[in-house]
Amino acid sequence: MTNITQCATDSSFYCLRDLMSSCSKFMMLLDAFSGPDILVHIAFKLQFNDFRFLNKSCIVQDPQLDLSPDGEAIDPWRLCTVDQVEELKALIKVVPIWLTGVVMSININQNSFPVLQATTMDRHIGSSFEIPAGSFGIFGVISAILWIVLYDPLILLIASKLTGKPVHFSTKERMGFGLFLSFLSVLVVAAVECVRRSIAIKEGYSDDPQGVIPMSAMWLLPQNSLAGFAVALHAIGQNEFYISEFPRSMSSVASALLGVGTGVGSLLASFLMSTIDDLTKRGGQESWISSNINKGYYDYYYLVLAGFSLVNVLCYIVCSRAYGPLKERKEWLWKKRSHEIVQEFIVSYLVYEKCGKVL
């Protein structure tokens, strides 16, 4: 009887040793493949459970009719590969977030009014130097460059010290903050224009759009700076979002989406301006976007843009939540859960061996 018990104990010991060894190797494999292709591939495949109706396009109904002797699809328009279907799902899933970037591009493509605005303001620095009216956009570029340069060494460092832990802003967070700054920038434009127009009328420049009013053009710096910060946050975040979420085979598409959105935004900006011009000049009234900046109501026009921007921010919040976690977050959760499963299995086995029952 003692020999039988000893054999059973030895058997359990060797079984547990083999189990621990296997689990240890599995944990090492998880650590080894925390970033490379196998985890990325698995996480990518698990990511797109939506749009399941598209899966029908990669199901072989009749191998003799659908496949050639070498296994290729006879008609690629009727039978697609799994990768092609998943790539289409990835593209469809980012379209709502991409559209919010298009709306922001409408604000960025308002290029003519800031020049008219600066022309009527005092652009002198000191007694001799005068900033050209068309050069105020450079302040937006400078703001964008400063944000990019100072983001890692200063901004994240300050945020980490304030929170007491390492801070990392995801691509979706940066895009959302960029949209909000764009909304603030058009609000500032409307406020500054309201003050500028009232001063111009008070000084008697209603019929003189070239008249320089006693108001410093430095009031244009906040709106340009906010626009520059918004572009730096949103554009870089958007580009990184596409590149990280799409598979490698769609890297060219990921790189082109930002430019396509900017182009579509430019077209929509022209359409919106033409529509508002036609609607506001009916009945012989002065258009909101009249060539005479002092008779027009550009502040109302920018309030309309601010309204669109506010709705756009709210839509982005909804779309971001509907999109779900980013791929890098899903990979981390998948790896964490895999470790937990292995650990739970080991504990359950040890408890079973010790107490004769399963957790």
Side-chain angles (χ1 to χ4, degrees):
M1 188 68 177
T2 304
N3 293 335
I4 294 176
T5 304
Q6 182 66 32
C7 291
T9 303
D10 292 343
S11 176
S12 299
F13 172 75
Y14 288 117
C15 180
L16 178 60
R17 185 192 64 180
D18 294 340
L19 176 65
M20 296 289 287
S21 177
S22 300
C23 291
S24 177
K25 292 179 180 179
F26 181 67
M27 303 276 280
M28 291 174 63
L29 283 174
L30 286 177
D31 289 331
F33 289 103
S34 59
D37 296 340
I38 183 169
L39 259 182
V40 174
H41 181 74
I42 292 173
F44 178 74
K45 292 299 181 184
L46 293 177
Q47 181 179 3
F48 299 103
N49 293 322
D50 301 326
F51 312 110
R52 293 184 179 180
F53 63 91
L54 294 175
N55 295 340
K56 297 179 180 179
S57 60
C58 60
I59 297 177
V60 178
Q61 302 290 343
D62 189 343
Q64 295 181 350
L65 298 177
D66 296 338
L67 300 177
S68 62
D70 57 354
E72 298 292 335
I74 295 177
D75 186 1
W77 291 101
R78 293 179 57 86
L79 182 63
C80 304
T81 64
V82 175
D83 288 336
Q84 289 174 333
V85 173
E86 297 301 331
E87 288 170 2
L88 178 60
K89 290 180 181 180
L91 188 60
I92 293 174
K93 198 172 182 182
V94 303
V95 166
I97 293 180
W98 176 78
L99 288 175
T100 60
V102 172
V103 176
M104 177 179 166
S105 297
I106 296 177
N107 298 338
I108 299 173
N109 285 287
Q110 306 295 325
N111 298 319
S112 57
F113 169 70
V115 178
L116 295 175
Q117 196 179 32
T119 303
T120 64
M121 303 173 73
D122 182 11
R123 293 173 276 115
H124 285 89
I125 297 180
S127 58
S128 58
F129 182 73
E130 184 180 25
I131 302 176
S135 300
F136 276 84
I138 194 64
F139 293 106
V141 177
I142 293 174
S143 299
I145 294 175
L146 287 176
W147 180 271
I148 295 171
V149 172
L150 300 178
Y151 178 73
D152 284 329
L154 184 61
I155 297 172
L156 289 183
L157 181 62
I158 294 175
S160 299
K161 288 185 177 181
L162 292 176
T163 58
K165 59 182 180 180
V167 173
H168 169 72
F169 297 109
S170 67
T171 54
K172 290 199 296 185
E173 290 172 341
R174 280 180 280 161
M175 285 190 292
F177 194 42
L179 293 176
F180 181 71
L181 288 182
S182 177
F183 161 68
L184 290 182
S185 69
V186 290
L187 270 185
V188 172
V189 173
V192 172
E193 172 57 18
C194 181
V195 174
R196 189 212 63 80
R197 183 174 178 275
S198 63
I199 294 176
I201 294 174
K202 183 178 179 181
E203 295 292 328
Y205 291 110
S206 297
D207 297 323
D208 184 11
Q210 301 297 325
V212 178
I213 63 173
M215 181 178 178
S216 175
M218 295 300 106
W219 284 102
L220 303 179
L221 296 186
Q223 64 194 50
N224 283 283
S225 298
L226 287 173
F229 292 146
V231 171
L233 276 165
H234 188 271
I236 296 176
Q238 191 179 28
N239 198 43
E240 291 181 4
F241 171 75
Y242 297 141
I243 293 175
S244 62
E245 293 299 299
F246 285 173
R248 292 181 179 178
S249 58
M250 297 180 66
S251 58
S252 59
V253 177
S255 301
L257 276 179
L258 178 61
V260 173
T262 303
V264 174
S266 179
L267 292 175
L268 291 178
S270 299
F271 172 76
L272 181 63
M273 181 173 288
S274 300
T275 302
I276 291 179
D277 181 51
D278 293 337
L279 291 176
T280 55
K281 69 181 181 181
R282 289 179 179 178
Q285 296 181 351
E286 192 73 33
S287 172
W288 283 7
I289 48 178
S290 171
S291 57
N292 186 341
I293 189 175
N294 295 328
K295 285 188 174 181
Y297 294 91
Y298 281 88
D299 50 346
Y300 295 171
Y301 172 69
Y302 271 88
L303 286 177
V304 172
L305 294 181
F308 281 128
S309 299
L310 179 59
V311 173
N312 188 48
V313 171
L314 298 177
C315 289
Y316 175 80
I317 294 174
V318 174
C319 294
S320 179
R321 289 182 178 272
Y323 186 88
L326 298 173
K327 185 193 293 186
E328 59 182 10
R329 175 68 176 172
K330 287 190 174 184
E331 293 174 9
W332 180 82
L333 291 174
W334 184 87
K335 181 181 176 182
K336 179 182 178 183
R337 183 55 184 157
S338 300
H339 280 81
E340 291 175 351
I341 291 173
V342 173
Q343 293 170 0
E344 290 172 2
F345 182 71
I346 293 174
V347 172
S348 299
Y349 182 85
L350 291 175
V351 172
Y352 177 76
E353 287 295 318
K354 185 71 175 178
C355 305
K357 59 181 180 179
V358 181
L359 289 177

